[in-house]
């Protein structure tokens, strides 16, 4: 099990965070502190997944550009525009 799986498991099993997500409102300061940490973990996991998707798109596009370069001897500007558009997704 890698760190992302352990963090996801932690979020699923954390009693305080589960109660918070289900709408329980009677939380102590410590509970709120724990909740904020869980939110941070969840946010980072989501950002990590988005970045992985962008890297996968970039990799695919780079391979497509390389194949096109091999067959045509050049780099069409439309593919470079595609790369820039993909990179804008993580801004």
């Amino acid at each position: 099990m890698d760190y992302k799986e352990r963090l996801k498991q932690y979020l699923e099993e954390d009693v305080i965070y589960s109660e918070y997500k289900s709408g329980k409102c009677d939380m102590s300061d410590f509970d709120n502190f724990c909740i904020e940490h869980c939110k941070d973990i969840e946010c980072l996991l989501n950002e990590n997944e988005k970045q992985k998707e962008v890297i996968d798109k970039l990799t695919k596009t780079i391979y497509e550009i390389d194949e096109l370069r091999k067959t045509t001897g050049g780099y069409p500007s439309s593919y470079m525009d595609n790369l820039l558009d993909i990179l804008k997704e993580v801004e």
Side-chain angles (χ1 to χ4, degrees), residues 25-87:
C25 295
D26 186 21
M27 300 284 175
S28 69
D29 287 343
F30 178 77
D31 293 343
N32 287 323
F33 182 76
C34 292
I35 289 165
E36 288 304 313
H37 279 277
C38 287
K39 285 180 183 178
D40 292 343
I41 291 168
E42 195 167 45
C43 182
L44 283 172
L45 287 171
N46 291 336
E47 284 180 16
N48 182 271
E49 185 59 33
K50 182 178 180 181
Q51 288 176 353
K52 182 185 177 309
E53 290 170 9
V54 169
I55 289 169
D56 290 346
K57 285 182 188 177
L58 283 171
T59 302
K60 180 181 176 201
T61 303
I62 289 169
Y63 278 117
E64 289 172 356
I65 290 170
D66 190 49
E67 285 300 313
L68 194 59
R69 180 195 57 80
K70 288 176 185 174
T71 59
T72 66
Y75 295 104
S77 61
S78 64
Y79 275 92
M80 300 313 264
D81 291 342
N82 287 348
L83 287 174
L84 292 173
D85 289 341
I86 293 168
L87 286 171

Side-chain angles (χ1 to χ4, degrees), residues 12-23:
E12 290 170 3
E13 295 175 0
D14 186 272
V15 175
I16 294 170
Y17 195 54
S18 296
E19 289 177 355
Y20 163 78
K21 289 186 95 171
S22 70

